[in-house]
Amino acid sequence: MNKAEGLIIIPAYNEENNIFQVIQGIREYSQGLDIIVINDGSEDGTGGIASGMGEQVINHFFNIGYGGALQTGYKYALAREYKYVIQFDADGQHDPRVISTIRECLESGSCDIVIGSRFLEDIRDAGLFKGAAIRFFRLLIKFFTGERITDPTSGLQGLNREVFEHFSKMGMFPEDYPDADTLIYAIKKGYRVLEVPAKNIKRLSGKSMHKGIKCVYYVLKMIVSILVVVLRLKFEKKVMRYV
Amino acid sequence: MSEVLRIIILAMGALFVLLVFYLLVTRKIDERASLPWIATSMVMILLALIPSILQILASSLLIDYPPALLFLISNFVIFLLLLYQSIQISALQNKCKELAQNLSIINSTGIHIPKGQNLPKRKALEHFYFRNEKNVFLSNESKINIPF
């Protein structure tokens, strides 16, 4: 049986230069929590380094995507009956000290989803394009849910069991970028979302997954996903009335 | 429509039906996926046998040149078939991802995911089930997976 109540999920794809420091940082601030690395079909030594450090690693046979890797973590957490999960990116941009804050919020039961927000106070650090995209998604979230979410693209999140169980099901979580669309869905479903301040650390090494033409694709895809989520929720409500 | 053109269209339709049945016999296509293609070739054969159908339809829609209507209909059918293929690809991709995730967990940790854990809740399944009953384009596999 598990000794820990919570699980830290680290989705990793070609992060051999960062993964060692990331795990070390997490270990320092996550006493009593288990760690799982989801090696999402990396072509480098990411999985080997993580397992060499004594951490549990799940190796995907091929690259599924960031969301797919997180969902594998949810499935594992559900099978091992963890009470909550904290997802932490392997690129070294998250501050591991925030883990204890997220953990406290989830253990107190005051919220269902905790987001480590990099822009709770100031968004200027985000850069021109990313800042504009984040502002746009903030507006959409506010419009559809009435909630103010300052960092809808943050990968540093904590989810309680009810939420990750819901997202672990087939077809309930996007396999590429789970961001504003997933948040809108969660808020509309009645899950309580809380943001805590999280300092953004400069990427240790490697490339961001939102680079070049992928940025444009990301924004377009996210707009479609948000519309689909809103329509789907409306459709579900209507069907529920007749079932 | 000239006699030669009618014979060519008739032959093409017949060949198409034969090709689809050959694929069915050699198990390269399943019965459900073959139905739209058989229907398409039947329409081709019907139009070759009774070309006046096209002329009547075209004049009722105020189309001066009947083959233009044929192109319009065939384009629409092709779009529908492509959309159907995209639905199938998305469904297969979802299933493939699910299998890969579960297999990775089993392979890396030895933990077997309990039966039914991966499926959405009963309510959601009921929605899919009722919808599948009405929609012939959706796969039958999802019906088999329902744990009730």
Side-chain angles (χ1 to χ4, degrees):
Chain A
M1 285 303 289
N2 308 314
K3 282 178 185 169
E5 289 195 335
L7 174 74
I8 295 179
I9 301 170
I10 311 173
Y13 176 61
N14 290 345
E15 296 286 1
E16 66 177 2
N17 296 325
N18 301 326
I19 195 76
F20 186 83
Q21 281 159 284
V22 168
I23 292 173
Q24 263 192 335
I26 291 172
R27 276 178 179 171
E28 207 174 318
Y29 296 98
S30 66
Q31 277 85 10
L33 294 177
D34 287 343
I35 297 173
I36 183 103
V37 177
I38 314 294
N39 178 26
D40 191 19
S42 296
E43 289 141 16
D44 61 7
T46 305
I49 294 168
S51 56
M53 290 176 80
E55 296 302 345
Q56 179 78 265
V57 179
I58 293 176
N59 292 301
H60 279 171
F61 302 113
F62 51 86
N63 181 251
I64 296 177
Y66 178 73
L70 283 175
Q71 199 185 34
T72 302
Y74 300 157
K75 286 175 191 293
Y76 172 80
L78 195 62
R80 295 289 305 266
E81 297 180 347
Y82 285 99
K83 287 186 177 165
Y84 60 88
V85 297
I86 297 171
Q87 53 200 53
F88 197 100
D89 289 352
D91 56 8
Q93 289 195 81
H94 297 320
D95 183 355
R97 284 173 297 185
V98 188
I99 290 173
S100 54
T101 320
I102 294 175
R103 186 180 178 176
E104 276 168 30
C105 295
L106 290 169
E107 284 178 356
S108 71
S110 57
C111 53
D112 302 306
I113 299 170
V114 187
I115 302 169
S117 171
R118 298 158 292 178
F119 315 117
L120 209 54
E121 284 146 14
D122 196 355
I123 197 173
R124 274 174 292 184
D125 287 349
L128 193 70
F129 185 81
K130 199 175 177 186
I134 289 169
R135 280 191 188 93
F136 177 63
F137 292 133
R138 275 180 182 182
L139 268 173
L140 287 180
I141 294 172
K142 181 82 180 166
F143 178 76
F144 287 118
T145 68
E147 295 267 339
R148 182 178 178 263
I149 302 291
T150 59
D151 193 359
T153 60
S154 174
L156 180 56
Q157 291 184 13
L159 315 175
N160 70 10
R161 189 187 164 91
E162 200 186 333
V163 180
F164 75 73
E165 183 174 357
H166 189 85
F167 287 148
S168 71
K169 309 291 181 198
M170 186 173 166
M172 303 304 267
F173 199 68
E175 65 185 53
D176 46 9
Y177 314 116
D179 287 331
D181 52 344
T182 317
L183 280 173
I184 290 174
Y185 182 81
I187 295 167
K188 286 279 208 183
K189 276 275 174 189
Y191 295 125
R192 297 158 299 165
V193 181
L194 180 79
E195 284 192 301
V196 294
K199 212 177 93 185
N200 192 20
I201 300 167
K202 208 171 181 319
R203 196 181 164 86
L204 296 169
S205 118
K207 274 189 264 177
S208 165
M209 64 178 172
H210 299 307
K211 270 268 177 207
I213 193 77
K214 277 188 179 176
C215 282
V216 182
Y217 165 75
Y218 168 76
V219 173
L220 291 174
K221 189 257 163 187
M222 194 51 66
I223 293 168
V224 174
S225 291
I226 289 169
L227 291 174
V228 168
V229 161
V230 173
L231 286 172
R232 192 178 286 152
L233 283 163
K234 282 197 173 164
F235 176 75
E236 272 179 19
K237 269 184 197 168
K238 271 189 185 169
V239 175
M240 289 294 270
R241 269 188 231 143
Y242 297 107
V243 174
Chain B
M1 196 186 290
S2 70
E3 283 300 307
V4 179
L5 187 62
R6 278 179 64 184
I7 290 165
I8 289 171
I9 295 171
L10 199 65
M12 276 171 67
L15 270 174
F16 206 77
V17 173
L18 284 175
L19 179 66
V20 173
F21 273 95
Y22 171 76
L23 292 171
L24 273 169
V25 170
T26 53
R27 292 192 179 88
K28 284 177 181 157
I29 189 170
D30 68 27
E31 288 83 354
R32 193 166 40 87
S34 71
L35 285 177
W37 297 112
I38 293 172
T40 308
S41 40
M42 287 300 175
V43 170
M44 279 171 75
I45 292 169
L46 193 72
L47 286 176
L49 288 174
I50 319 166
S52 56
I53 294 175
L54 195 63
Q55 279 157 6
I56 294 162
L57 268 174
S59 63
S60 65
L61 292 167
L62 304 175
I63 296 169
D64 295 332
Y65 185 56
L69 177 64
L70 191 64
F71 282 119
L72 183 73
I73 294 168
S74 54
N75 272 338
F76 183 67
V77 170
I78 289 166
F79 272 130
L80 275 182
L81 287 172
L82 283 173
L83 186 66
Y84 171 61
Q85 299 297 336
S86 294
I87 294 168
Q88 292 293 307
I89 290 167
S90 300
L92 286 172
Q93 195 178 348
N94 213 9
K95 284 175 188 170
C96 182
K97 184 199 76 178
E98 205 64 24
L99 283 172
Q101 285 176 322
N102 290 345
L103 203 55
S104 301
I105 293 173
I106 294 165
N107 222 18
S108 305
T109 66
I111 294 170
H112 287 257
I113 304 294
K115 200 179 172 187
Q117 184 179 294
N118 293 312
L119 295 168
K121 283 181 182 170
R122 188 189 168 96
K123 281 284 175 195
L125 273 172
E126 280 172 2
H127 298 163
F128 280 113
Y129 184 73
F130 290 130
R131 204 169 59 179
N132 280 5
E133 283 289 291
K134 291 171 191 167
N135 193 341
V136 290
F137 281 123
L138 290 176
S139 68
N140 287 323
E141 285 90 319
S142 53
K143 284 183 196 170
I144 297 161
N145 288 336
I146 294 169
F148 60 81

Short mmCIF file of all heavy atoms in Angstrom, two decimals, chain B residues 95-122:
data_model
loop_
_atom_site.label_atom_id
_atom_site.label_comp_id
_atom_site.label_asym_id
_atom_site.label_seq_id
_atom_site.Cartn_x
_atom_site.Cartn_y
_atom_site.Cartn_z
N LYS B 95 -8.46 5.24 -28.97
CA LYS B 95 -8.31 3.87 -28.47
C LYS B 95 -6.83 3.48 -28.39
O LYS B 95 -6.40 2.83 -27.45
CB LYS B 95 -9.05 2.89 -29.38
CG LYS B 95 -10.55 2.92 -29.20
CD LYS B 95 -11.23 2.03 -30.20
CE LYS B 95 -12.73 2.21 -30.16
NZ LYS B 95 -13.40 1.53 -31.27
N CYS B 96 -6.08 3.91 -29.41
CA CYS B 96 -4.65 3.59 -29.49
C CYS B 96 -3.92 4.24 -28.30
O CYS B 96 -3.07 3.61 -27.64
CB CYS B 96 -4.10 4.11 -30.81
SG CYS B 96 -2.39 3.75 -31.06
N LYS B 97 -4.28 5.51 -28.01
CA LYS B 97 -3.66 6.23 -26.88
C LYS B 97 -3.96 5.51 -25.58
O LYS B 97 -3.07 5.31 -24.74
CB LYS B 97 -4.20 7.66 -26.84
CG LYS B 97 -3.55 8.53 -25.79
CD LYS B 97 -4.38 9.74 -25.46
CE LYS B 97 -5.55 9.38 -24.61
NZ LYS B 97 -6.38 10.48 -24.20
N GLU B 98 -5.22 5.10 -25.43
CA GLU B 98 -5.66 4.43 -24.21
C GLU B 98 -4.89 3.12 -24.01
O GLU B 98 -4.41 2.83 -22.91
CB GLU B 98 -7.16 4.14 -24.37
CG GLU B 98 -7.92 4.01 -23.10
CD GLU B 98 -7.99 5.27 -22.26
OE1 GLU B 98 -7.84 6.37 -22.82
OE2 GLU B 98 -8.15 5.14 -21.05
N LEU B 99 -4.74 2.37 -25.08
CA LEU B 99 -4.00 1.10 -25.01
C LEU B 99 -2.54 1.35 -24.66
O LEU B 99 -1.97 0.66 -23.81
CB LEU B 99 -4.09 0.36 -26.35
CG LEU B 99 -5.40 -0.36 -26.64
CD1 LEU B 99 -5.40 -0.87 -28.07
CD2 LEU B 99 -5.57 -1.53 -25.69
N ALA B 100 -1.95 2.36 -25.32
CA ALA B 100 -0.53 2.66 -25.08
C ALA B 100 -0.31 3.08 -23.63
O ALA B 100 0.66 2.66 -23.00
CB ALA B 100 -0.07 3.77 -26.03
N GLN B 101 -1.21 3.90 -23.09
CA GLN B 101 -1.08 4.35 -21.70
C GLN B 101 -1.16 3.17 -20.73
O GLN B 101 -0.32 3.01 -19.85
CB GLN B 101 -2.18 5.36 -21.36
CG GLN B 101 -1.94 6.72 -21.98
CD GLN B 101 -3.10 7.67 -21.72
OE1 GLN B 101 -4.26 7.27 -21.73
NE2 GLN B 101 -2.80 8.93 -21.49
N ASN B 102 -2.19 2.33 -20.94
CA ASN B 102 -2.37 1.19 -20.02
C ASN B 102 -1.22 0.20 -20.12
O ASN B 102 -0.75 -0.31 -19.11
CB ASN B 102 -3.70 0.49 -20.32
CG ASN B 102 -4.88 1.34 -19.92
OD1 ASN B 102 -4.72 2.31 -19.18
ND2 ASN B 102 -6.05 1.02 -20.40
N LEU B 103 -0.78 -0.04 -21.35
CA LEU B 103 0.33 -0.97 -21.56
C LEU B 103 1.61 -0.43 -20.93
O LEU B 103 2.40 -1.18 -20.34
CB LEU B 103 0.52 -1.19 -23.06
CG LEU B 103 1.23 -2.48 -23.47
CD1 LEU B 103 0.53 -3.70 -22.90
CD2 LEU B 103 1.27 -2.58 -24.98
N SER B 104 1.82 0.90 -21.03
CA SER B 104 3.01 1.52 -20.43
C SER B 104 2.98 1.37 -18.92
O SER B 104 4.01 1.09 -18.30
CB SER B 104 3.07 3.01 -20.77
OG SER B 104 3.11 3.19 -22.15
N ILE B 105 1.81 1.56 -18.31
CA ILE B 105 1.69 1.42 -16.85
C ILE B 105 1.98 -0.02 -16.44
O ILE B 105 2.76 -0.28 -15.52
CB ILE B 105 0.29 1.87 -16.35
CG1 ILE B 105 0.13 3.39 -16.57
CG2 ILE B 105 0.09 1.54 -14.88
CD1 ILE B 105 -1.26 3.93 -16.28
N ILE B 106 1.38 -0.96 -17.17
CA ILE B 106 1.59 -2.39 -16.84
C ILE B 106 3.07 -2.75 -17.00
O ILE B 106 3.69 -3.36 -16.14
CB ILE B 106 0.71 -3.30 -17.74
CG1 ILE B 106 -0.77 -3.08 -17.42
CG2 ILE B 106 1.07 -4.77 -17.54
CD1 ILE B 106 -1.72 -3.64 -18.45
N ASN B 107 3.64 -2.33 -18.12
CA ASN B 107 5.03 -2.67 -18.44
C ASN B 107 6.02 -2.06 -17.46
O ASN B 107 6.98 -2.70 -17.06
CB ASN B 107 5.32 -2.16 -19.85
CG ASN B 107 6.11 -3.15 -20.65
OD1 ASN B 107 6.16 -4.32 -20.30
ND2 ASN B 107 6.73 -2.69 -21.71
N SER B 108 5.77 -0.80 -17.07
CA SER B 108 6.74 -0.09 -16.23
C SER B 108 6.57 -0.36 -14.75
O SER B 108 7.52 -0.28 -13.98
CB SER B 108 6.66 1.41 -16.48
OG SER B 108 6.82 1.71 -17.83
N THR B 109 5.33 -0.62 -14.32
CA THR B 109 5.11 -0.75 -12.87
C THR B 109 4.51 -2.08 -12.47
O THR B 109 4.49 -2.42 -11.29
CB THR B 109 4.14 0.36 -12.38
OG1 THR B 109 2.86 0.13 -12.96
CG2 THR B 109 4.63 1.75 -12.77
N GLY B 110 3.98 -2.81 -13.43
CA GLY B 110 3.34 -4.09 -13.12
C GLY B 110 1.92 -3.94 -12.60
O GLY B 110 1.26 -4.91 -12.29
N ILE B 111 1.45 -2.68 -12.52
CA ILE B 111 0.10 -2.44 -12.01
C ILE B 111 -0.91 -2.62 -13.14
O ILE B 111 -0.77 -2.01 -14.20
CB ILE B 111 -0.03 -1.03 -11.41
CG1 ILE B 111 0.86 -0.92 -10.17
CG2 ILE B 111 -1.47 -0.68 -11.07
CD1 ILE B 111 1.01 0.48 -9.65
N HIS B 112 -1.90 -3.46 -12.90
CA HIS B 112 -2.95 -3.65 -13.91
C HIS B 112 -4.11 -2.72 -13.61
O HIS B 112 -4.58 -2.66 -12.47
CB HIS B 112 -3.44 -5.10 -13.92
CG HIS B 112 -2.43 -6.02 -14.54
ND1 HIS B 112 -2.56 -6.51 -15.80
CD2 HIS B 112 -1.26 -6.49 -14.06
CE1 HIS B 112 -1.52 -7.26 -16.09
NE2 HIS B 112 -0.71 -7.27 -15.04
N ILE B 113 -4.54 -1.99 -14.61
CA ILE B 113 -5.66 -1.06 -14.43
C ILE B 113 -6.94 -1.88 -14.30
O ILE B 113 -7.23 -2.71 -15.18
CB ILE B 113 -5.78 -0.10 -15.65
CG1 ILE B 113 -4.46 0.65 -15.88
CG2 ILE B 113 -6.94 0.87 -15.51
CD1 ILE B 113 -4.05 1.61 -14.80
N PRO B 114 -7.71 -1.68 -13.22
CA PRO B 114 -8.94 -2.46 -13.07
C PRO B 114 -9.89 -2.28 -14.24
O PRO B 114 -9.94 -1.20 -14.83
CB PRO B 114 -9.56 -1.89 -11.79
CG PRO B 114 -8.45 -1.22 -11.08
CD PRO B 114 -7.50 -0.74 -12.12
N LYS B 115 -10.62 -3.34 -14.54
CA LYS B 115 -11.55 -3.32 -15.68
C LYS B 115 -12.60 -2.21 -15.48
O LYS B 115 -13.19 -2.11 -14.41
CB LYS B 115 -12.24 -4.67 -15.78
CG LYS B 115 -12.83 -4.94 -17.14
CD LYS B 115 -13.47 -6.31 -17.15
CE LYS B 115 -14.24 -6.53 -18.42
NZ LYS B 115 -14.99 -7.76 -18.41
N GLY B 116 -12.79 -1.41 -16.45
CA GLY B 116 -13.81 -0.37 -16.37
C GLY B 116 -13.31 0.94 -15.82
O GLY B 116 -13.98 1.96 -15.93
N GLN B 117 -12.09 0.95 -15.25
CA GLN B 117 -11.56 2.19 -14.67
C GLN B 117 -11.35 3.27 -15.72
O GLN B 117 -11.47 4.45 -15.46
CB GLN B 117 -10.25 1.93 -13.93
CG GLN B 117 -9.71 3.17 -13.23
CD GLN B 117 -8.42 2.90 -12.49
OE1 GLN B 117 -8.40 2.17 -11.53
NE2 GLN B 117 -7.34 3.50 -12.94
N ASN B 118 -11.02 2.84 -16.93
CA ASN B 118 -10.72 3.81 -17.98
C ASN B 118 -11.96 4.39 -18.64
O ASN B 118 -11.86 5.34 -19.40
CB ASN B 118 -9.87 3.15 -19.06
CG ASN B 118 -8.52 2.80 -18.54
OD1 ASN B 118 -7.87 3.62 -17.91
ND2 ASN B 118 -8.11 1.57 -18.76
N LEU B 119 -13.10 3.78 -18.37
CA LEU B 119 -14.29 4.22 -19.08
C LEU B 119 -14.95 5.39 -18.38
O LEU B 119 -14.91 5.49 -17.16
CB LEU B 119 -15.30 3.07 -19.20
CG LEU B 119 -14.82 1.90 -20.04
CD1 LEU B 119 -15.74 0.72 -19.84
CD2 LEU B 119 -14.77 2.29 -21.50
N PRO B 120 -15.58 6.29 -19.12
CA PRO B 120 -16.31 7.38 -18.48
C PRO B 120 -17.44 6.85 -17.62
O PRO B 120 -17.80 5.67 -17.70
CB PRO B 120 -16.86 8.18 -19.66
CG PRO B 120 -16.11 7.72 -20.83
CD PRO B 120 -15.67 6.33 -20.57
N LYS B 121 -18.03 7.74 -16.83
CA LYS B 121 -19.07 7.30 -15.90
C LYS B 121 -20.29 6.77 -16.64
O LYS B 121 -20.51 7.04 -17.80
CB LYS B 121 -19.45 8.47 -15.00
CG LYS B 121 -18.40 8.70 -13.93
CD LYS B 121 -18.80 9.85 -13.04
CE LYS B 121 -17.68 10.07 -12.02
NZ LYS B 121 -17.87 11.29 -11.28
N ARG B 122 -21.11 6.02 -15.90
CA ARG B 122 -22.28 5.36 -16.46
C ARG B 122 -23.18 6.32 -17.25
O ARG B 122 -23.61 6.00 -18.35
CB ARG B 122 -23.07 4.74 -15.31
CG ARG B 122 -24.21 3.85 -15.75
CD ARG B 122 -25.06 3.48 -14.55
NE ARG B 122 -26.29 2.87 -15.01
CZ ARG B 122 -26.47 1.57 -15.12
NH1 ARG B 122 -25.50 0.76 -14.82
NH2 ARG B 122 -27.61 1.09 -15.53
#
